[in-house]
Amino acid sequence: TTGAGLGDPIERDPEAVLNDILNGEATEETARKVYCVAVDLAGERVDYAETERLRQARKKERLEKGVPAGEFIKRMVAARKAGNLPAPALELVKETEWFSAEFHRQLQQEEQLAAKDLKPVGKGEIREVLFKLTPYVNVALDSTGKKVTVCSECGFIYGPAGEDFKLYSLVYERDPDEVYPKHLAPDKEWAVLLEFYCPGCGRQTEVDQTPPGMPIVPHAIIAELAQK
């Protein structure tokens, strides 16, 4: 199957996906599951109508299944405290916290976040875009002059630029079997995919492959960038 890339997989050029299939670098199943691309292999062409339907359905699914990050963090903190994680993941959390002061700090930080009411700003007016942080997230000035993170596609405002935009995203924990071929997928007791979506338009902005119950991987550079 094909490797990692940059950007939302369902925005990949359908013709490039078709070429991967014809060259033996991807399968028809991968095209539908990962890229939401439908192909007619007999005619060696893309079915654009079905591809558009698949992609719109995927965005709808994301908005329906994605959990607000604040709620997701509350669930993860509760699961760690109750020991309600797969045995390999629970052991990893315990051992890592034992020898890593930084990891212990991250766990404590998520407990503090779980006590907060993390809600995105949502719709709002942007005065000026300062710079692009990721392919889908800009740092900008809102109508009051505050620095915020905002979706570069639909204008949805996540929150203050000094805070990780992931904390104001939708989060979905996906079983790797839904993405990888069966013989390549990691055991979900050892690794899951955390997909992050814009709550406004459903674009996938980030994806982390991580053991279940681990703290959300932060954008460590964002606080520094927000001061510029």
Side-chain angles (χ1 to χ4, degrees):
T1 185
T2 51
L6 180 65
D8 189 337
I10 69 170
E11 293 185 358
R12 187 159 186 247
D13 182 356
E15 294 294 339
V17 176
L18 174 61
N19 287 336
D20 284 344
I21 296 173
L22 297 178
N23 292 332
E25 297 174 349
T27 65
E28 187 175 3
E29 181 185 17
T30 297
R32 291 185 73 93
K33 287 199 310 184
V34 179
Y35 302 108
C36 293
V37 171
V39 299
D40 172 10
L41 289 182
E44 296 188 355
R45 66 179 183 83
V46 174
D47 183 338
Y48 277 96
E50 178 64 6
T51 293
E52 179 62 20
R53 188 195 69 78
L54 289 172
R55 291 185 166 186
Q56 291 303 320
R58 179 61 57 84
K59 288 181 182 179
K60 183 174 183 291
E61 175 196 67
R62 291 170 175 177
L63 293 172
E64 291 175 348
K65 292 186 176 181
V67 176
E71 181 181 337
F72 182 83
I73 290 172
K74 285 180 171 66
R75 292 180 185 179
M76 289 299 98
V77 169
R80 288 197 293 261
K81 287 186 174 182
N84 189 22
L85 293 172
L90 186 60
E91 189 64 24
L92 177 62
V93 169
K94 290 180 178 178
E95 289 189 4
T96 307
E97 185 179 16
W98 176 75
F99 71 77
S100 172
E102 176 59 23
F103 185 73
H104 176 72
R105 186 194 66 78
Q106 290 179 1
L107 293 179
Q108 288 185 318
Q109 185 179 49
E110 280 212 339
E111 288 188 21
Q112 294 170 359
L113 289 172
K116 295 182 177 181
D117 186 19
L118 295 173
K119 290 185 178 179
V121 174
K123 294 182 179 180
E125 181 181 344
I126 295 300
R127 179 193 301 176
E128 177 187 358
V129 173
L130 299 178
F131 56 87
K132 183 175 285 292
L133 183 66
T134 80
Y136 299 114
V137 180
N138 292 333
V139 171
L141 296 178
D142 68 9
S143 59
T144 68
K146 293 180 180 178
K147 290 181 181 178
V148 295
T149 46
V150 58
C151 176
S152 59
E153 301 299 308
C154 72
F156 184 93
I157 299 176
Y158 290 94
E163 297 181 29
D164 194 340
F165 72 90
K166 284 182 170 182
L167 301 179
Y168 299 97
S169 301
L170 296 177
V171 188
Y172 180 63
E173 183 176 299
R174 189 178 294 279
D175 186 332
D177 277 347
E178 298 179 39
V179 175
Y180 292 99
K182 295 293 185 182
H183 66 289
L184 294 177
D187 190 320
K188 64 181 178 182
E189 291 197 344
W190 290 91
V192 293
L193 300 174
L194 293 187
E195 298 178 350
F196 296 84
Y197 313 135
C198 169
C201 62
R203 279 175 170 81
Q204 180 176 300
T205 58
E206 295 276 323
V207 58
D208 300 334
Q209 182 166 302
T210 177
M214 299 292 278
I216 290 176
V217 179
H219 271 274
I221 60 172
I222 191 169
E224 178 184 347
L225 286 174
Q227 303 306 314
K228 293 184 178 180

